[in-house]
Each structure stands twice: as structure tokens, then as C-alpha cells.
Amino acid sequence: MIYHFDILPSTNDEAALPKYSEGDIIWADAQSSGRGQRGHSWESQRGENITFSVVLEPTFLAATEQFLLSQVVALAIVDALKYYGIDAKIKWTNDIYVGDKKLCGILIEHKLQGSSIARTIAGIGLNVNQVEFSNDIPNPISIRQIKHFEMDCQEVLERVADSIMTRYEMLRKDNAAQIRIDYHELLYRRDALHWYFLPDGRRFRGTIRGVEPSGALRIENEKGEERSYLFKEIEFSVKNITKLF
């Protein structure tokens, strides 16, 4: 069921309330305290985009496999965009990019129970009709800017929600292997040489080779040496703009 609000502090916070159950969508035209990954805020003009959270209860999934849920949601958004003729990629871990521009951000939050996942809230901000963004946002784009016409936000939301549940059912039916394959195939800048930056300021050129089940990014440097990086262990350059993951 879709619950539509004019404004909320955060759709993820609202979705965490026990009155919501698996498959419920909490959608707000505006958020007063919307947040992205690692404490970043998410900008969205009221009514121009879709900011929403979906509730999942993946009790069948071990806590050690939680990255599969990030993959499911990212793949679902790419699936939905494909319907509109948009060729999108997944920029590790789960930003959605078209070319070198960010179309969608995702924030995944889990509640664990023992060795399993009791509840997952997937918060999603998808740029739909916004055409003007703050100067401090490095590389945004919207569906309207890509397709050159205004979209129906509710129709886009419903399509994305359906895609999420379709991919989620794949996971429930123990098809994790295909999810990992599809995610790998859609990785932004996979098998291409680019600059990367370490937290201590050192930089190197490397090639993304894949993602570990844990979610760590595998990069091969120019010497042919490969290692994996967790969140915040590497900076990613996009046309001379860097963003710390």
C-alpha cells in the first residue's frame, strides 16, 4: 500500500514505525530532514521528484548477506528506468547514474534479529521533473532532463515499486546468484581505467573488476594487483569532481 504525505521529516523514519509492514510505501512530496548515505542530505523540490521508502521484512536472509538487498533495490530502479528508454548504471554502492550524472540515491537501513534481518527500509530519492539544482550538488540529472518532457510522479513511483517487489521475489526464491550477476553487469565504469583516491591523499589509476558479496569494491591497479575496498576507503572521481563513499 502507498501512504502519501505532503511533508515528513524523513520517509525512512516514518517507515520504521511498527504500523507499516512488508511492501508498504511511504511517499512524501517533501522532507524536512531527508538524508542520504553517510549523513549527506538529499535535495528535492517539493512535488518535482519522488522521495519514498519501501518496507521489507527479509527474515529469510542472513545478516551477512544484507548487501543483496542494496543490489535488489538498485537493479529494480534500473529496470524501471529501462521502461522509459533510459540506460542507467549502478555506481557503487547503489547510486543510479546516467552517463556521468546522478539520477537517484538510495539509503538502506536494516534492523537485525539474531543472525537474520528482521526489517529493511530502503529510502529512495529519484529526480523526476526537477530541472534546477543547487550549485553545490556536483552532477545531478532528472528524468525530465533526459526525456525532455514532464513525467507523472505517481506513475513513476508505482513502476519503481513494482520493480522492487519483482526483484525482491527473485531474492526470496533463492536466486541470489542471478542478482549478483545482473548487478556486476550494470556496474558503472566496470572494466575501465580511471583515477581513484585514498583517504590519505594518495591516488592511483585502477579498473573496477567487481563487487564482493560483502559489498566491497574490487579494483585492479595498473600493476595488475587487485584489492577490495569498503565504504569510505576510496574516493571516486567523476569528471574532476570527487565524492567520498
Side-chain angles (χ1 to χ4, degrees):
M1 180 177 290
I2 296 176
Y3 297 87
H4 189 197
F5 298 85
D6 178 53
I7 188 169
L8 286 172
S10 161
T11 59
N12 265 30
D13 289 347
E14 178 70 18
L17 298 177
K19 64 182 179 180
Y20 299 112
S21 58
E22 184 162 85
D24 284 344
I25 300 287
I26 291 77
W27 172 29
D29 291 334
Q31 295 181 100
S32 58
S33 303
R35 60 187 187 275
Q37 291 191 53
R38 295 152 193 84
H40 296 294
S41 62
W42 180 262
E43 178 195 313
S44 179
Q45 292 179 0
R46 181 189 293 265
E48 291 294 297
N49 306 316
I50 51 175
T51 51
F52 70 100
S53 298
V54 58
V55 179
L56 302 173
E57 296 174 349
T59 54
F60 57 88
L61 197 65
T64 55
E65 296 183 307
Q66 60 186 263
F67 187 66
L68 280 164
L69 293 160
S70 291
Q71 292 174 304
V72 159
V73 175
L75 285 168
I77 294 168
V78 172
D79 292 343
L81 291 169
K82 188 175 181 180
Y83 172 82
Y84 298 109
I86 297 173
D87 181 20
K89 299 292 184 182
I90 302 168
K91 184 168 179 280
W92 180 79
T93 54
N94 51 20
D95 283 341
I96 308 302
Y97 267 52
V98 175
D100 288 320
K101 296 196 172 185
K102 183 175 177 177
L103 182 62
C104 178
I106 302 168
L107 175 66
I108 306 284
E109 297 178 316
H110 304 288
K111 180 179 180 182
L112 306 182
Q113 185 171 349
S115 60
S116 299
I117 303 172
R119 190 177 178 91
T120 293
I121 308 297
I124 298 161
L126 175 61
N127 296 330
V128 180
N129 290 318
Q130 188 167 338
V131 294
E132 294 183 1
F133 296 87
S134 298
N135 291 332
D136 58 351
I137 298 177
N139 56 343
I141 197 169
S142 68
I143 296 176
R144 183 175 180 178
Q145 289 174 316
I146 297 167
K147 302 301 294 182
H148 307 293
F149 58 82
E150 189 169 350
M151 307 291 293
D152 183 315
C153 284
Q154 182 164 344
E155 193 275 334
V156 175
L157 170 64
E158 291 173 354
R159 183 161 298 278
V160 171
D162 286 346
S163 294
I164 290 172
M165 298 314 295
T166 298
R167 283 286 184 175
Y168 182 65
E169 284 304 308
M170 286 180 63
L171 186 59
R172 191 195 299 276
K173 292 176 180 177
D174 202 25
N175 204 356
Q178 188 62 52
I179 289 168
R180 290 189 174 107
I181 289 170
D182 292 348
Y183 182 90
H184 175 81
E185 290 298 314
L186 287 166
L187 267 177
Y188 172 76
R189 290 189 173 175
R190 177 177 58 87
D191 296 333
L193 189 65
H194 289 279
W195 283 104
Y196 295 93
F197 301 82
L198 301 176
D200 63 5
R202 288 179 296 156
R203 67 175 187 168
F204 70 97
R205 291 207 303 172
T207 303
I208 292 174
R209 294 305 188 195
V211 176
E212 302 288 349
S214 65
L217 182 68
R218 296 201 320 269
I219 297 181
E220 179 184 334
N221 66 23
E222 289 185 286
K223 297 178 181 179
E225 302 165 336
E226 186 175 307
R227 64 156 288 187
S228 297
Y229 298 87
L230 295 172
F231 309 135
K232 295 190 177 181
E233 290 185 344
I234 194 163
E235 282 185 50
F236 206 111
S237 177
V238 181
K239 286 193 174 180
N240 299 321
I241 299 170
T242 58
K243 177 181 175 182
L244 183 60
F245 286 88

